Amino acid sequence: MSILLVTNDDGVHAPGLQALAEALEDLGDAWIVAPEREQSACGHALTLHRPLRVERLGQRRVAVNGTPSDCVNLGVLGFLPERPVLVASGVNHGSNLGDDVTYSGTVSAAMEGTLLGVPSIAFSLADGGDFAAAARVARQVAMRVLVEGLPRKTLLNVNVPAGPARGIRVTRLGHRVYTEKIVEQTDPRGRTHYWIGAGEAEWEDLEGTDMGALHEGYVSVTPLHLDLTNHRALAQLADWPARLGPPARDPARARPPRG
Ligand code: MN
């Protein structure tokens, strides 16, 4: 049987990970390669400056002292008996919608799989939802991807609502409206510290978005493209070389910055 790589950012002991691996079990040999502890909001970080260690927890279940992207690298590039045919990340505890996908370790794991050329899907469940139900959705989506594949450099970001799902919608990413401010506080020793990300999310124009679908009780399936080049801007910036002139002559400035 083909190998399916199952990972997450909530850690190897998270219930969503177990539910996902079990739901995919009959589609292939589901291998869990997941961070030994929670890595939520770690983004696409890689561990390059210390060794990665792998602890065997079961026959096809291992914990890694690293990030979700580390786990995908290990799994795809040779740790598993064969190269996996699918990377499934999640099911995350909490949704990963709109602009927030850039912070998400769950989504980053699927990005890493995509960059390594393996069809990849990220699954997340809204707060208060049922992991078993989300895993059943995951199985359906995974089966479809295994049969049909995905477009080049494209992953799927799937979010499941908390209540019973009314169906599936294919969506675009929503956008957050940044109304929140930093929270400044003073500790008992009189020093100032700050909290970010403390406010409630506000969203612009929900029509057609992942957030909108979830709001109305649907599963959202958002195709994400990893070609980050803005091709329209490429044409708009075409005359910049002429406008900026030749590189600076000042030798101090001509030296490339270090680090
Ligand atoms: Mn998480």
Side-chain angles (χ1 to χ4, degrees), residues 8-10 38-41 92-94 96 104-106:
N8 73 346
D9 78 353
D10 292 334
E38 182 173 352
Q39 300 280 332
S40 293
N92 188 60
H93 180 71
N96 277 302
S104 164
T106 307

Side-chain angles (χ1 to χ4, degrees), residues 6 12-25 30 32 90-91 125 130-139:
V6 183
V12 72
H13 301 291
L17 179 74
Q18 198 58 41
L20 179 59
E22 283 169 16
L24 300 182
E25 196 54 62
I32 290 178
V91 174
L125 174 64
D130 171 31
F131 282 117
R136 282 195 294 275
V137 172
R139 186 180 176 283

Side-chain angles (χ1 to χ4, degrees), residues 7-8 34-35 39 42-47 50 52 64-72:
T7 191
N8 73 346
Q39 300 280 332
C42 68
H44 204 152
L46 286 178
T47 303
R50 61 171 172 80
L52 290 172
V64 179
N65 63 340
T67 66
S69 294
D70 293 334
C71 293
V72 173

Side-chain angles (χ1 to χ4, degrees), residues 129-151:
D130 171 31
F131 282 117
R136 282 195 294 275
V137 172
R139 186 180 176 283
Q140 277 182 287
V141 176
M143 199 153 56
R144 192 91 195 191
V145 166
L146 284 170
V147 172
E148 297 188 11
L150 285 172

